[in-house]
Amino acid sequence: MPRTKQTGRRSQPSKKKKENSDNEFRSDAIDKADMDNERFKAYYQAQNLVPEEEWETFYDALKQHLPTTFRVAGSRQVANTLNQAIKDVHVPALSDVIFEDQKLPPPVQISWYPDGLAWHFNVPKKILRKSPEFKKFHSFLVFETEVGNISRQEAVSMLPPLFLDVEPHHKVMDMCAAPGSKTAQLLEALHAQDSVTATSIPTGLLIANDSDQKRTNLLIHQSARLPSPALMVTNLDASIYPAMKIAGPPGPKGEEQTRQLLFDRILCDVPCSGDGTMRKNVGIWKNWQPMDGNGLHSLQVRILQRAMKLLKPDGRIVYSTCSLNPVENEAVLAAALKSNPDFFLVDVSDKLPALKRRPGLTIWRPSVDRLINTSYATYEEYLASQDAKDNPKTKLTEGHWPPVDIERYNLHRSLRIYPHLQDTGGFFVAVLEKKASTDRGARKRELSPPIEENQEAKKPRVEKDGEPEVGAPAVELENTSEGTAVPGDATTEVIETTPADVTLATEPDTKGLKKGKGKKVKDSNGDGGGVFKEHPYTFLPPTDPILKDCIERLSLASDFPSSNVLVRNPAGEAVRSLYLANDLVKSVVEHNDYTRIRLSAAGTKVFSKQEGGKASAGAEPHFRVLGEGLPVILPFVNPEAIITADLSSLKVLVESYYPLVTSFSEPFKSIVEARPIGSHVVKFPPGELDGTVLTHDLFLSIWKSNVSVTLMMNKKAKSALSMRLFGADITPASRVGLWEIPPPADSKSQAEDKETEVEMQVVQESDILDTLNN
């Protein structure tokens, strides 16, 4: 049965659970009497997971419902603004709430999270439904989560990106990224230089990858809440992730050269059995058994080893799981470090000092069967036993046991997070770094000769049953340092592949494809569900008439990166959306076949076609500024092209779908009437209206038709803006009960349908409100 990153097995949620998805963090759906598993107790007591005197406290903590935790998202400036509003408005409102004669605790900040941007509160479900104060706060969380200002994320899940220490210039890989909460944290780190009103274009890169196609689409949906020209999304098996090329320095004769893309930071939040999540995934109590962890060990090692191959010298990897099992944690580290002596575990004991943690284990005994047989201290003892003879096809390997020289790997430097320490889930984190290269000759070696097109891609050794041998060294050429250029085209690189993946290492066979359609590549190894059907990205020339029209109508400055605008539509079909990428994303797109890297998304949308019926007949402008793209292009918009309005005009826009131009007061009314039909940017400066205060500039996108104006914002974002600014939801959707949270897009077609809506989502410009309501 296929395993997910969280629980280790895929299950179909019941209809009742779907209806209560807002409360899925609760574990009181089953009786505490059912929260018991003798195999679990026997296995982890044998591992000495915690001191004997702590066992009952630890085990009881697993049975308690998990507090609600959330993180204030967005760029640092934006997040601090909203965080202050939570402290000044919501916490005081919840500080004296009494429900059924019991005083309820208000939300409190998580002590170890930087700048106090993470919170937790612990109240039963019925209080969220019945207490007016907490019901209002819960609605606030729902709205702000939908527009990307809040990430409802388990506390321990926030740790890996913090230890990765990402900076805006870094090349970053999230190897198992879905559903995307950690990806969002990494994006925020890349965008640390964003201002309150505008998004920067970082020089770095984030590639978010997931092997499951549906989860990849969810990842794209989630990451759209923080639009980034530096983001790419791929749909590949992380354990055989292909090498990518980017432009290198020119050759001696000025010829174009390429080099391998190596990363500064890689996050390996790998698939695991997930028993650290028992407080919310209560089905684990019934189904837990040790063979889940044993079976995943091989995959986890291969993913970490692949990350090591893709990392630059001095680079950093964070390995993490939501499992308590040392076979999935310390054993994986030991196996990977043994095969890659250039890596070492980093001592991070001085980081996040308020975080209570325990050191990694150095002694453990895997169970050789479902009955918790932990009799064998070494692999050699097991091989000599009757159990090994009775089960010759077992997948247990030497790597499941502690190595003889375990002291050299400093496994105590890894972090174990236990539920009873700070009322969290269970978690494991380790930080690895690659030693700086001392082989200067390797950096100056001659350029590698091109590989012949008919040369077979190199493959790792495989066992007879077709699964890669655990601990077997990958048979591939060593990565060149990123300072070494490699001449030639896509055939110059050697990529580690399984036999089923050989076709991905070469230019795909396009024979039989219909003109204008996306390429279909089917892998037998299961990447992305087996079928990849996406259209390629194509960069437009700066002279493209559609692009020039968008630039001219918005009066974009000459330094707007027009050469980095790309489209994704079948050949011969009209352009529907324009995307913006940074230079590094452009280099990756241009130097790698999109089917081989299974490219699902690149850059961020900035303009979208205003479909027929929404633009007046005969009107020249056909493209609008997307809300998600506005913060990206705002730094390039000529200030004279921006319309200035006050809070009363904003209130009219929020209260109606298509308010008439004549319904606005002066001077906004005359200014808008004089503007041509099309997309415009409106600035709302600081001001006050009926006791509501806007403390700094707010920029929004509108569409002006013949007689009306539309705020380019989806219903949920508009409601969130209304509640934050005016203290109530005054949108039309609230009056007719249309503000239920829509399910995230799980298919390409759904995403494309949303693209054509009139009310497009506004992202971080709606984050920036710090409002005080009387």
Side-chain angles (χ1 to χ4, degrees):
M1 184 176 292
R3 277 112 171 173
T4 64
K5 183 162 64 180
Q6 283 191 330
T7 65
R9 45 174 59 86
R10 184 175 297 165
S11 59
Q12 198 66 22
S14 67
K15 190 173 184 179
K16 184 176 181 181
K17 284 183 73 176
K18 287 184 179 180
E19 291 171 354
N20 292 299
S21 60
D22 281 351
N23 298 306
E24 64 183 0
F25 54 88
R26 305 303 301 237
S27 63
D28 48 3
I30 68 172
D31 203 329
K32 277 190 179 181
D34 297 324
M35 295 180 182
D36 195 27
N37 189 300
E38 291 299 326
R39 291 175 298 183
F40 180 92
K41 288 194 289 187
Y43 180 74
Y44 282 123
Q45 284 180 321
Q47 310 306 326
N48 293 314
L49 202 66
V50 295
E52 185 176 351
E53 61 272 16
E54 282 186 37
W55 175 261
E56 291 301 326
T57 304
F58 162 76
Y59 196 63
D60 184 66
L62 290 171
K63 302 178 183 181
Q64 308 303 317
H65 67 255
L66 191 65
T68 303
T69 53
F70 64 90
R71 182 176 58 81
V72 184
S75 66
R76 185 53 54 93
Q77 289 183 337
V78 168
N80 286 333
T81 298
L82 184 59
N83 206 47
Q84 193 64 43
I86 294 174
K87 288 193 288 188
D88 294 345
V89 178
H90 293 284
V91 171
L94 299 172
S95 294
D96 298 310
V97 176
I98 298 177
F99 184 81
E100 297 181 351
D101 298 326
Q102 180 182 0
K103 186 174 181 180
L104 303 175
V108 296
Q109 290 170 299
I110 296 176
S111 60
W112 48 261
Y113 197 90
D115 299 327
L117 292 173
W119 297 75
H120 73 97
F121 67 101
N122 196 0
V123 297
K125 288 185 295 185
K126 67 177 183 179
I127 294 180
L128 294 179
R129 292 193 296 260
K130 295 182 179 180
S131 166
E133 297 87 353
F134 274 94
K135 185 177 181 180
K136 182 178 180 181
F137 182 65
H138 183 256
S139 297
F140 160 78
L141 292 181
V142 170
F143 280 117
E144 298 296 350
T145 298
E146 179 63 20
V147 298
N149 301 339
I150 295 290
S151 175
R152 295 172 67 184
Q153 182 178 356
E154 192 174 345
V156 290
S157 174
M158 305 174 192
L159 289 171
L162 296 179
F163 284 113
L164 203 58
D165 194 23
V166 170
E167 298 180 11
H169 64 277
H170 281 156
K171 304 174 184 69
V172 187
M173 162 81 81
D174 189 350
M175 297 196 79
C176 308
S181 57
K182 298 179 186 68
T183 302
Q185 281 182 269
L186 298 176
L187 275 177
E188 291 164 18
L190 275 182
H191 284 267
Q193 297 174 353
D194 286 9
S195 69
V196 174
T197 57
T199 297
S200 62
I201 300 182
T203 57
L205 164 75
L206 172 60
I207 296 181
N209 175 72
D210 201 87
S211 63
D212 185 275
Q213 191 172 33
K214 290 184 178 180
R215 288 167 63 88
T216 300
N217 288 321
L218 174 61
L219 174 61
I220 295 171
H221 173 80
Q222 297 284 71
S223 59
R225 295 170 176 172
L226 181 60
S228 176
L231 176 67
M232 301 181 71
V233 178
T234 58
N235 175 213
L236 290 159
D237 180 347
S239 67
I240 51 173
Y241 201 91
M244 292 186 183
K245 296 183 301 179
I246 55 176
K253 299 180 180 179
E255 70 273 18
E256 181 180 345
Q257 295 191 117
T258 61
R259 58 182 175 178
Q260 182 180 342
L261 172 62
L262 296 178
F263 295 89
D264 301 283
R265 299 287 188 269
I266 299 179
L267 174 58
C268 294
D269 186 50
V270 300
C272 67
S273 60
D275 56 14
T277 68
M278 296 174 81
R279 297 180 69 179
K280 65 176 182 178
N281 295 316
V282 294
I284 297 176
W285 281 104
K286 179 180 179 180
N287 300 314
W288 187 93
Q289 53 95 8
M291 306 310 285
D292 284 342
N294 287 351
L296 285 166
H297 172 86
S298 170
L299 173 63
Q300 293 160 342
V301 171
R302 296 199 309 271
I303 292 175
L304 181 53
Q305 287 177 328
R306 189 60 193 147
M308 289 172 160
K309 292 290 184 180
L310 296 173
L311 193 72
K312 294 173 61 175
D314 282 330
R316 171 173 287 199
I317 294 174
V318 168
Y319 176 86
S320 62
T321 75
C322 50
S323 170
L324 303 171
N325 197 337
V327 170
E328 301 180 70
N329 297 325
E330 288 89 349
V332 172
L333 293 178
L337 290 168
K338 184 176 182 180
S339 65
N340 291 275
D342 287 339
F343 283 80
F344 62 95
L345 281 173
V346 180
D347 182 0
V348 291
S349 57
D350 61 334
K351 305 298 182 184
L352 305 180
L355 175 68
K356 296 180 182 179
R357 83 276 315 258
R358 295 288 168 82
L361 303 178
T362 56
I363 300 175
W364 65 89
R365 292 190 177 193
S367 177
V368 300
D369 58 31
R370 295 173 181 268
L371 302 178
I372 317 300
N373 181 353
T374 57
S375 305
Y376 308 108
T378 66
Y379 183 56
E380 289 71 20
E381 286 184 23
Y382 169 66
L383 287 181
S385 71
Q386 189 63 39
D387 285 309
K389 296 173 184 176
D390 292 342
N391 298 283
K393 294 185 179 180
T394 181
K395 296 297 181 183
L396 290 173
T397 68
E398 185 177 4
H400 284 74
W401 275 263
V404 177
D405 55 347
I406 193 168
E407 294 80 9
R408 65 177 295 189
Y409 301 118
N410 294 312
L411 295 181
H412 64 278
R413 291 180 175 178
S414 56
L415 284 67
R416 286 185 155 267
I417 311 298
Y418 294 140
H420 65 297
L421 298 179
Q422 287 180 304
D423 201 12
T424 65
F427 209 72
F428 180 86
V429 189
V431 180
L432 303 91
E433 287 187 359
K434 187 175 184 178
K435 301 173 184 176
S437 177
T438 57
D439 184 5
R440 298 186 178 274
R443 292 181 176 271
K444 298 180 180 180
R445 65 169 59 97
E446 294 184 3
L447 298 179
S448 303
I451 298 171
E452 298 297 329
E453 290 187 6
N454 62 353
Q455 181 174 340
E456 183 180 1
K458 293 185 179 285
K459 315 172 185 65
R461 296 181 305 198
V462 296
E463 294 180 352
K464 291 182 180 179
D465 61 4
E467 291 195 9
E469 180 182 342
V470 179
V475 185
E476 69 166 17
L477 296 184
E478 287 295 319
N479 292 338
T480 58
S481 71
E482 208 168 5
T484 304
V486 180
D489 57 18
T491 60
T492 63
E493 57 190 336
V494 176
I495 300 165
E496 177 187 356
T497 62
T498 64
D501 192 51
V502 171
T503 55
L504 286 182
T506 59
E507 293 295 328
D509 182 7
T510 59
K511 192 178 297 182
L513 291 176
K514 294 182 179 180
K515 183 178 181 181
K517 299 295 182 181
K519 297 178 182 178
K520 295 183 181 180
V521 176
K522 186 171 183 179
D523 326 275
S524 59
N525 68 347
D527 286 353
V531 176
F532 179 74
K533 184 182 179 182
E534 295 284 358
H535 300 302
Y537 283 101
T538 305
F539 284 91
L540 295 177
T543 56
D544 181 86
I546 292 177
L547 177 56
K548 288 181 64 177
D549 184 69
C550 291
I551 292 175
E552 291 172 2
R553 292 185 180 279
L554 277 174
S555 299
L556 299 185
S558 58
D559 60 344
F560 176 74
S562 56
S563 60
N564 286 15
V565 174
L566 61 165
V567 297
R568 186 173 215 178
N569 55 282
E573 291 189 12
V575 173
R576 296 181 61 190
S577 299
L578 303 183
Y579 300 76
L580 184 66
N582 70 1
D583 292 338
L584 198 48
V585 170
K586 180 179 181 180
S587 185
V588 174
V589 172
E590 289 186 329
H591 293 90
N592 298 272
D593 184 271
Y594 78 100
T595 57
R596 184 180 67 79
I597 64 173
R598 296 176 70 94
L599 181 60
S600 300
T604 187
K605 291 180 186 178
V606 288
F607 302 108
S608 187
K609 185 178 181 181
Q610 188 75 358
E611 302 292 346
K614 299 184 178 72
S616 301
E620 291 184 5
H622 295 289
F623 281 78
R624 63 177 180 267
V625 180
L626 293 181
E628 64 195 67
L630 180 56
V632 180
I633 69 167
L634 189 60
F636 305 99
V637 177
N638 186 335
E640 296 180 359
I642 298 175
I643 301 173
T644 301
D646 56 18
L647 281 176
S648 63
S649 298
L650 177 58
K651 188 173 183 180
V652 174
L653 288 167
V654 170
E655 288 178 321
S656 305
Y657 284 133
Y658 309 103
L660 297 176
V661 175
T662 54
S663 65
F664 293 93
S665 59
E666 297 291 354
F668 183 71
K669 173 185 172 182
S670 297
I671 295 174
V672 173
E673 283 180 334
R675 291 297 178 104
I677 294 172
S679 184
H680 301 280
V681 178
V682 181
K683 171 185 175 182
F684 299 91
E688 183 177 355
L689 178 68
D690 298 331
T692 296
V693 179
L694 176 63
T695 60
H696 40 65
D697 293 337
L698 169 67
F699 293 86
L700 299 175
S701 173
I702 65 170
W703 178 269
K704 190 227 171 178
S705 64
N706 281 323
V707 295
S708 65
V709 178
T710 301
L711 188 60
M712 290 307 201
M713 207 177 227
N714 71 15
K715 295 180 180 67
K716 185 62 63 174
K718 187 183 287 188
S719 292
L721 172 64
S722 176
M723 291 182 68
R724 200 180 316 116
L725 183 57
F726 300 109
D729 188 354
I730 61 175
T731 66
S734 69
R735 296 194 289 272
V736 294
L738 296 178
W739 47 270
E740 290 187 10
I741 301 178
D746 61 358
S747 69
K748 183 76 161 71
S749 60
Q750 286 176 319
E752 289 178 345
D753 288 342
K754 288 186 177 294
E755 185 181 300
T756 62
E757 292 180 1
V758 177
E759 297 193 331
M760 300 303 294
Q761 181 176 352
V762 169
V763 287
Q764 303 306 346
E765 62 269 30
S766 68
D767 298 3
I768 64 172
L769 298 174
D770 177 16
T771 58
L772 300 174
N773 300 287
N774 286 347

